[in-house]
Structure formats: structure tokens, C-alpha cells
Amino acid sequence: MRKIRLLLVIFLALTAPCGSVFSESRDSFFSPRPMRYSGETTTLVIDTDMSKMRHDGPDNGHTSISLLSKNGAVLFQRKLDDNFKCLGYSRAQHAYVLQTVGETGISLKVEAFEYLPEDKPAIVYSKSFTPQFVAALEAVIPSPDLRFIVFVGQQTESSIWRLYVLDTKSDTISLLGRAPDPPPLSKWYLEESTGSFNPCDQWQWGFDGPMLEQNICQFISPHILKVSYGKDTCRHRSKNRLIRKWTL
């Protein structure tokens, strides 16, 4: 019965008329392709093709990555059997910051963070974001300068989602504290769910789609993070909020 419910959730998500079944605020992972990003001396072109991706299928999609000089010369080019997204360019590290998305169960999650330096083009995987970590797909918040990446994450031996920060300069991860609750489910999703299926059973991090709203978790200055907590439910955010701030 649980498997049938989970398949119903996927069906509802894929057949939604517009947007996600959850509320949205940031750009989704499923962006138009290809995407271009500017560094100091290069341009990164990243083309993620998930059109043939199937649940539990042999094809998990692929990504073509090209690093070009300002005059268009190809400095680095790879076609990888993974789904990559670029979070931006870090001037402090002189590198592009990437993330890899993979399938865990029936959900898509962030499985790795990587760096692509301009001066020595090669994909370097974060050593601190080990395979014991996953991050919620739409709950990754980079600081404006890409020095820090805050994310709602989970360690494989735990079922609890927490708030972490990756320092891209030292490549270290620190625990900040409790993760904010996921966004409320959309009115459409709640109304379309019928029968014995309770949509609120899927109100949790890890399911594809819930974007962490900017008014809930955001950088209010380059290295100051503000997070809003409340007694939230699957139907609405609580009006009474507790605000916490971290200077990273």
C-alpha cells in the first residue's frame, strides 16, 4: 500500500498543471538548457539532459560540461553520466561550484558538491560531503560570494534532516542546527489527493520539489544567515516565528 501511495505522489507531481506541487521561490534544478556562467577569464557552459531519465532505469541522464576561454577556445570538456548544476562562480576560490543530483529511492537529492577551478580545469569533488550525506534538492542556499553553501541535509544512518553549512574555502561541513520545516503543500495538491491517501504523509524533506522559501532561509548579508522557525504544518506556515541568525 505504501508503494502505491508513493507512486500516486509521483503521478500527481508529473501531471500538475503548472509549477510544483509545493510552493516555489528559487530557480529550480530543472532549468532551461544549456546554461552559461561567467568567471573571471572563462565561461562555463553546462547542459544537463534528463529527458530519458527513468525511475530505477539504466539511464540517469547526462551532463555536458564545457569550459571556454574568453575567445571561445575549449579549455575543458566532459560528458558525464550524472546530473550537474552550477551554483555560480566563486571569485575567492577562482572556481565554479557545482552540485550533482542523483536518485535515492523515489526521490532526487543532491549527492555531491564539486569545484571546477579556472586555472587548473578539472572536476574536484568535495572531500567533506562524503557519500554519507545527501541534501534536499531545492534546499541548497549559496552565500552571495559562494564562500558558504547552506543546505538541508541528512546523513545516511539518520532519518533526521538538519541544517548544515559547507565552507567552500576550507572544504569543511559544520552542523548549524534544526532544519526549518518544508514549505506547505499547494492547495491544488491537497485538493487532488483523494481516497485513503493522506498527502500530508509526504510533507517532508527529500521528496522532489519542495523549495525552501527565501523568507524562511536566506543570507541577509554575505556571511550572515537568517532562518525562520515556527509551528508549521503541511497546510500553512505559522504566523508566530522564531528568528535565528548565524554569522558564518
Side-chain angles (χ1 to χ4, degrees):
M1 179 60 70
R2 177 172 175 79
K3 185 175 182 180
I4 294 175
R5 289 180 178 179
L6 292 176
L7 290 174
L8 176 60
V9 170
I10 296 175
F11 173 77
L12 289 171
L14 293 176
T15 57
C18 293
S20 168
V21 297
F22 298 84
S23 56
E24 300 184 2
S25 60
R26 294 185 173 88
D27 292 338
S28 171
F29 173 77
F30 305 98
S31 301
R33 42 184 286 250
M35 299 291 289
R36 301 175 69 90
Y37 301 86
S38 295
E40 293 180 87
T41 61
T42 62
T43 298
L44 177 67
V45 181
I46 184 165
D47 187 358
T48 300
D49 184 4
M50 301 177 70
S51 61
K52 297 181 180 179
M53 186 175 181
R54 298 292 182 271
H55 173 57
D56 285 339
D59 191 339
N60 291 320
H62 63 266
T63 301
S64 296
I65 294 178
S66 300
L67 188 66
L68 310 176
S69 67
K70 291 302 183 182
N71 62 10
V74 177
L75 304 176
F76 175 84
Q77 194 169 53
R78 294 289 186 277
K79 185 174 182 179
L80 304 168
D81 292 328
D82 284 306
N83 301 306
F84 285 82
K85 176 183 178 181
C86 181
L87 296 175
Y89 178 78
S90 170
R91 292 187 178 276
Q93 273 70 10
H94 304 287
Y96 297 91
V97 182
L98 311 172
Q99 65 180 25
T100 302
V101 173
E103 188 180 47
T104 303
I106 66 164
S107 300
L108 295 176
K109 299 185 179 76
V110 177
E111 294 185 337
F113 289 103
E114 303 89 10
Y115 312 106
L116 178 57
E118 264 189 324
D119 56 346
K120 296 179 180 179
I123 296 177
V124 180
Y125 282 77
S126 167
K127 294 181 180 179
S128 62
F129 195 89
T130 63
Q132 69 175 329
F133 273 108
V134 292
L137 181 61
E138 302 289 5
V140 176
I141 303 96
S143 65
D145 60 359
L146 269 294
R147 166 68 187 273
F148 298 103
I149 300 175
V150 172
F151 62 93
V152 174
Q154 183 186 64
Q155 298 194 48
T156 52
E157 70 272 12
S158 172
S159 60
I160 301 174
W161 292 90
R162 294 183 171 92
L163 195 64
Y164 295 91
V165 58
L166 168 64
D167 184 334
T168 63
K169 184 175 182 179
S170 60
D171 191 33
T172 55
I173 290 178
S174 302
L175 173 64
L176 293 179
R178 179 171 70 90
D181 289 321
L185 302 174
S186 70
K187 182 180 179 181
W188 174 88
Y189 183 67
L190 291 168
E191 292 176 348
E192 288 295 314
S193 303
T194 59
S196 59
F197 171 71
N198 182 2
C200 291
D201 289 343
Q202 303 305 321
W203 185 63
Q204 57 184 302
W205 289 114
F207 179 71
D208 310 336
M211 293 186 183
L212 187 53
E213 310 100 314
Q214 289 184 354
N215 65 329
I216 298 298
C217 186
Q218 64 176 320
F219 279 92
I220 57 175
S221 69
H223 294 168
I224 298 179
L225 179 74
K226 182 180 77 171
V227 182
S228 173
Y229 296 93
K231 294 182 179 179
D232 303 321
T233 71
C234 68
R235 298 181 182 276
H236 60 80
R237 291 286 192 193
S238 171
K239 293 182 179 180
N240 297 322
R241 314 298 300 176
L242 172 66
I243 304 298
R244 289 200 61 188
K245 295 180 182 179
W246 286 270
T247 300
L248 303 177

